Amino acid sequence: MANPIIKLFRTKIYMAIALLLLLLFIGVLGFRIMSNYTWIDAIYMTVITITTVGFGEVQPLDDVAKIFTTFLILASVIIVGYALSIITEYILSKNDIEELKLKKMQKKIDSLNNHIIICGYGRNGKQAASKLLAYKKPFVVIENDKEIAEKDQSETMPFVVGNANDDETLFKAGIDRARTLICALPDDADNLFVVLSARQINSKLRIISRASQETSYKKLKLAGANNVILPDKIGGDHMASLVVVPDLIEFIDNLSIVGQANINIEEISTEKLYNTDEVKTIRDLDLRKKTGCTVIGYKNGNGEYVVNPDAGIKLLPNSKIIVLGQPEQIQKLNSLYNI
């Protein structure tokens, strides 16, 4: 939506253009009628009169035509001066407004903490941003293309325009306060450089990087990336799986983890389920009876996963459980535990 001040200036510009066209029309018509000029001569006389270039008359003017020309010159000075002032003011104000918008956006970014930074707003970057928006996670996008940034930025999707390879740009995005960095640049070398820089600036940062070539996988891991994703490899594996186990893959594809009304899988910290001072088990929580959800996974504090955990497994502090259920069951679970 355009800024109200910009809209006001545009209205004034349209008014100035309308006045100039009206002045041109009156001048042409006046010279045509009063001096019996041809249409071409009338247009020529009107233009040189309005612009005050000082060229000679096409033919001598009588007294009435001279009076008309005098008023035409005075009117043109006022209207052209008005139009130039409006256009100049519009250009200067637009620059000021853009600067204010940038300052406001930077102020919002500076207020973020433990947020996520996405480097690159291409295909993978857009997908990451879309999912983070669905989960209402705070994030910042670094994009080198100013037009893309201006088109897609909003209150919920702040952009930093610049090269992610520059430390200054990373600091503008709050790399020192961020929790996670997603490198979604199209070039593996650029991703590698960003990972190296980010790891040096923030050693606690979780870094997820995209890679186009399998040879880049180890390099990115050595540079400090916690996870390296190969989109092409994942896509190929997925297509092959649709051939080998089509029904299973189709079932998994139908499971949703994004959105408010169609979530089927949820990851929950044990601290949100009960007071971990007294350790409980999955059986003690009895989520199946309370909400209808089934616990299908457990992740302990060391990051180790247990698939289909036993009901007697202890839910220790800093651990998580993964539950599966119908959307209404997941909603009931979230409502019951204020998640």
Side-chain angles (χ1 to χ4, degrees):
M1 185 179 292
N3 189 288
I5 298 176
I6 297 294
K7 282 186 174 181
L8 178 62
F9 275 120
R10 285 178 180 171
T11 302
K12 289 183 177 180
I13 289 173
Y14 295 149
M15 178 63 71
I17 292 172
L19 289 173
L20 286 173
L21 291 175
L22 179 62
L23 186 67
L24 184 65
F25 174 77
I26 293 173
V28 171
L29 197 62
F31 283 121
R32 170 70 177 171
I33 296 172
M34 294 181 186
S35 301
N36 199 26
Y37 283 176
T38 64
W39 287 111
I40 297 297
D41 287 343
I43 293 171
Y44 172 76
M45 279 296 299
T46 303
V47 171
I48 66 172
T49 302
I50 291 175
T51 56
T52 63
V53 295
F55 287 168
E57 302 165 354
V58 174
Q59 63 186 43
L61 301 175
D62 56 22
D63 291 341
V64 175
K66 287 178 181 179
I67 293 172
F68 170 77
T69 305
T70 301
F71 280 105
L72 186 64
I73 292 172
L74 293 174
S76 65
V77 168
I78 295 171
I79 293 174
V80 171
Y82 170 76
L84 290 175
S85 65
I86 290 297
I87 293 171
T88 303
E89 191 177 356
Y90 169 73
I91 293 171
L92 293 176
S93 299
K94 188 175 181 181
N95 291 337
D96 290 340
I97 291 168
E98 289 297 324
E99 188 176 346
L100 287 172
K101 285 172 65 178
L102 287 174
K103 287 182 178 180
K104 184 179 178 182
M105 186 68 70
Q106 189 60 50
K107 188 176 181 180
K108 177 179 175 60
I109 294 170
D110 291 340
S111 68
L112 295 176
N113 198 26
N114 290 325
H115 57 290
I116 300 146
I117 298 174
I118 301 174
C119 295
Y121 198 63
R123 185 176 67 254
N124 297 127
K126 285 181 180 179
Q127 290 174 345
S130 177
K131 182 160 288 190
L132 291 174
L133 277 175
Y135 270 92
K136 297 182 179 179
K137 297 290 184 180
F139 66 94
V140 178
V141 180
I142 297 177
E143 173 56 48
N144 203 26
D145 193 321
K146 187 178 180 180
E147 289 185 5
I148 293 175
E150 290 178 348
K151 178 183 176 183
D152 294 319
Q153 70 180 2
S154 64
E155 287 294 323
T156 56
M157 192 184 295
F159 274 78
V160 172
V161 179
N163 192 335
N165 289 333
D166 295 334
D167 288 354
E168 184 181 351
T169 304
L170 292 175
F171 275 110
K172 282 184 178 180
I175 191 71
D176 52 327
R177 308 182 309 276
R179 176 167 58 92
T180 305
L181 175 71
I182 299 175
C183 293
L185 300 172
D187 187 75
D188 287 356
D190 289 336
N191 285 322
L192 181 63
F193 193 88
V194 173
V195 170
L196 280 168
S197 299
R199 181 56 70 202
Q200 288 180 352
I201 296 170
N202 189 343
S203 59
K204 297 180 180 179
L205 189 69
R206 184 186 178 191
I207 301 176
I208 303 167
S209 179
R210 173 191 184 276
S212 300
Q213 305 295 327
E214 290 190 28
T215 53
S216 302
Y217 183 91
K218 290 184 178 179
K219 295 176 183 177
L220 286 163
K221 293 286 284 187
L222 287 171
N226 300 93
N227 303 95
V228 179
I229 308 300
L230 293 158
D232 293 338
K233 185 176 184 296
I234 292 174
D237 288 345
H238 190 82
M239 288 188 285
S241 297
L242 283 169
V243 176
V244 180
V245 281
D247 295 333
L248 174 60
I249 298 301
E250 189 174 355
F251 172 76
I252 293 173
D253 286 344
N254 284 328
L255 296 178
S256 176
I257 60 173
V258 178
Q260 297 299 318
N262 61 343
I263 297 176
N264 298 113
I265 301 177
E266 188 73 274
E267 177 188 83
I268 309 166
S269 299
T270 52
E271 284 80 6
K272 294 182 179 179
L273 297 171
Y274 75 101
N275 187 349
T276 54
D277 291 339
E278 296 180 6
V279 178
K280 292 185 179 182
T281 64
I282 293 176
R283 184 184 292 109
D284 294 332
L285 291 179
D286 200 10
L287 294 179
R288 178 70 179 176
K289 183 177 180 181
K290 292 178 181 177
T291 66
C293 297
T294 303
V295 179
I296 62 171
Y298 172 73
K299 181 184 179 182
N300 62 26
N302 296 323
E304 298 171 344
Y305 283 92
V306 178
V307 179
N308 193 23
D310 186 84
I313 195 169
K314 294 181 178 180
L315 301 176
L316 300 173
N318 300 319
S319 62
K320 295 179 179 180
I321 63 170
I322 300 168
V323 298
L324 175 68
Q326 297 176 3
E328 57 270 18
Q329 293 170 337
I330 296 293
Q331 287 181 1
K332 186 177 180 180
L333 172 70
N334 291 336
S335 177
L336 182 64
Y337 292 97
N338 294 320
I339 298 173

